[in-house]
Amino acid sequence: MSPLFNTDNVIDALRKVLPTERKISLHEPHFNGNEWTYVKECLDTGWVSSVGKYVDEFEFKLAEFTGAQKVVAVVNGTAALHIALKLLGVEQNDEVLLPALTFIATANAVQYCNAIPHFIDSEEKTLGIDPRKLSDYLNEVSLIKDGVCINKITGNRIKAVIAMHTFGHPVDLDPLIDVCQRYKLELIEDAAESLGSFYKKRHTGTFGKIATISFNGNKVITTGGGGAILTNDINLGKMAKHLTTTAKVAHKWEFFHDQIGYNYRLPNINAALGCAQLEQLPSFIEKKRKLALMYRAEFSGMDGISFFTEPEFARSNYWLNALVLDSENAIYRDELLEKTNNLGIMTRPAWTTMHKLPMFQNCPRMDLSTAESLESRLINIPSSSFLGD
Ligand SMILES: *Cc1c(COP(=O)(O)O)cnc(C)c1O
């Protein structure tokens, strides 16, 4: 252990940034804008469900904000991932590469397609997929046959990569896109956590063939529950709309569905909430970035632990702030979690890496030492936008 490291110093630093008179949760939603007005309008007019103007408006405004050509609002981020994989033609026994260090939804969506999650290591600098390690690994385990990437060991087709922008911090997209091109892999961005985060001045979720966002209650903005599919391919966007609205062929009265579709459309009442939240997004991000600066200042000189800072190529939304203990101090993680939660400062460890969960433990994977190391020493700390006020 580093001789100068002490969990009490960490607590003191947190208390300097955070209000002390109340319990502080990890991430709270804020409804200080037009939420009441827009939701009331849905109730007053009866347009609460699968039809209404707020869905179109929410999709339009999201497209405007992110720069994506087409946005389709859906019931949640997991459903968005499911449809993204379907649209890219991921089928039974296809392998899909994704980070071991992610939220369960990323891996579950692959399994919903009867495909096989294949776990990739993270890089310390971004907390997301390490493009260089991925490249070396694919060089070792795969071959390209008739323009298709094949896993030499399992014989399965490797179809796609899902890059997840961890806690809002973009992965290093340029080298990742290069790997995807060399190995004929489709790129999906799980941008669930990165609404308002930019990679080299371009919004995350506009680099891959398809991207997904989540508007769950703990995300940067919320619709209660909700999600979106983003793409720059207009045809793919139209297919996304079709598949998520029961694959019904538009007609004045006839019910004709041309394939198995899904009832994944975002209800109008949730979209109304989303429109109001989206108006406040720039101010949420400004406050979140201020909060991150305050944390950064408190932890900058501290021994044995560091505040995770956006990579130089990124402008992050700092959705969830993270402290990372030096390796030799990983043994203090649980003590820190215990002390902070007892004091009413809600903190959480990183997710359990996917390959350690019972249903995914036999899935193919590369060496995951960085993901495992990060998992053992990362702590998320309170990140609500109001804390940056
Ligand atoms: C929140 C989240 C999702 C989607 O979650 P939903 O609750 O289904 O909206 C997917 N991936 C990641 C990384 C997430 O954080």
Side-chain angles (χ1 to χ4, degrees), residues 28-58:
E28 285 176 28
H30 267 262
F31 305 112
N32 296 328
N34 287 316
E35 286 86 353
W36 276 110
T37 315
Y38 297 169
V39 170
K40 184 171 185 302
E41 192 195 315
C42 292
L43 299 178
D44 289 344
T45 58
W47 296 106
V48 294
S49 190
S50 52
V51 187
K53 68 169 189 183
Y54 284 113
V55 175
D56 293 339
E57 193 176 317
F58 188 47

Side-chain angles (χ1 to χ4, degrees), residues 114-135:
N114 296 314
I116 300 161
H118 187 153
F119 299 117
I120 301 304
D121 204 15
S122 307
E123 80 174 313
E124 181 116 18
K125 181 171 143 182
T126 65
L127 306 175
I129 283 185
D130 186 329
R132 290 146 205 98
K133 274 196 190 167
L134 174 62
S135 177

Side-chain angles (χ1 to χ4, degrees), residues 61-344:
K61 295 215 161 124
L62 269 171
E64 206 174 43
F65 184 84
T66 58
Q69 292 298 308
K70 177 85 182 157
V71 174
V72 177
V74 295
V75 283
N76 57 54
T78 311
L81 278 168
H82 182 193
I83 295 300
L85 290 159
K86 281 233 158 242
L87 286 174
L88 294 186
V90 171
E91 290 170 1
Q92 182 158 17
N93 292 334
D94 282 344
E95 293 180 15
V96 176
L97 304 165
L98 66 136
L101 187 65
T102 187
F103 177 57
I104 189 74
T106 326
N108 277 347
V110 173
Q111 202 70 56
Y112 297 164
C113 298
N114 296 314
I116 300 161
H118 187 153
F119 299 117
I120 301 304
D121 204 15
S122 307
E123 80 174 313
E124 181 116 18
K125 181 171 143 182
T126 65
L127 306 175
I129 283 185
D130 186 329
R132 290 146 205 98
K133 274 196 190 167
L134 174 62
S135 177
D136 292 347
Y137 177 64
L138 284 170
N139 183 40
E140 197 183 305
V141 303
S142 78
L143 56 85
I144 307 286
K145 204 176 138 192
D146 304 328
V148 177
C149 185
I150 305 285
N151 182 334
K152 282 195 281 192
I153 300 154
T154 60
N156 294 326
R157 176 168 76 153
I158 306 179
K159 181 74 185 166
V161 178
I162 309 178
M164 196 277 282
H165 305 301
T166 314
F167 310 138
H169 301 291
V171 306
D172 198 352
L173 282 156
D174 281 342
L176 182 62
I177 288 166
D178 177 60
V179 176
C180 290
Q181 281 168 351
R182 278 191 286 120
Y183 288 90
K184 318 287 178 205
L185 302 168
E186 302 278 19
L187 176 62
I188 299 174
E189 291 176 78
D190 181 348
E193 306 179 354
S194 69
L195 179 63
S197 296
F198 295 79
Y199 176 78
K200 299 183 180 172
K201 306 216 161 112
R202 187 164 140 195
H203 199 283
T204 52
T206 61
F207 292 83
K209 191 100 177 246
I210 302 194
T212 61
I213 303 185
S214 167
F215 308 112
N216 191 35
N218 62 346
K219 295 285 160 53
V220 183
I221 64 166
T222 186
T223 57
I229 298 166
L230 273 59
T231 180
N232 287 327
D233 181 328
I234 298 290
N235 273 329
L236 219 49
K238 281 185 186 155
M239 282 305 299
K241 192 60 163 180
H242 189 59
L243 259 191
T244 53
T245 53
T246 70
K248 184 178 181 295
V249 177
H251 191 276
K252 267 183 273 184
W253 58 77
E254 210 167 58
F255 285 97
F256 187 81
H257 307 260
D258 61 5
Q259 59 182 301
I260 303 276
Y262 297 83
N263 182 17
Y264 280 177
R265 182 206 299 265
L266 185 73
N268 196 51
I269 193 166
N270 299 80
L273 207 49
C275 287
Q277 287 270 287
L278 210 43
E279 290 167 357
Q280 299 159 81
L281 179 59
S283 84
F284 288 164
I285 291 169
E286 194 187 324
K287 289 175 194 166
K288 288 170 78 64
R289 289 183 61 85
K290 261 193 205 158
L291 175 64
L293 270 182
M294 292 196 272
Y295 278 133
R296 191 180 172 180
E298 284 306 324
F299 286 97
S300 66
M302 200 176 289
D303 265 293
I305 192 167
S306 48
F307 175 73
F308 188 86
T309 307
E310 64 194 354
E312 76 283 357
F313 46 65
R315 184 180 163 87
S316 302
N317 63 10
Y318 282 92
W319 170 57
L320 265 196
N321 292 298
L323 294 173
V324 184
L325 289 153
D326 290 359
S327 305
E328 67 266 32
N329 294 326
I331 43 165
Y332 292 111
R333 186 194 75 167
D334 290 357
E335 182 183 316
L336 259 180
L337 289 166
E338 190 70 38
K339 280 190 180 173
T340 45
N341 283 291
N342 287 345
L343 282 167

Side-chain angles (χ1 to χ4, degrees), residues 17-31:
V17 175
L18 301 169
T20 47
E21 69 281 2
R22 58 168 281 190
K23 247 180 103 122
I24 311 293
S25 47
L26 206 58
H27 202 287
E28 285 176 28
H30 267 262
F31 305 112

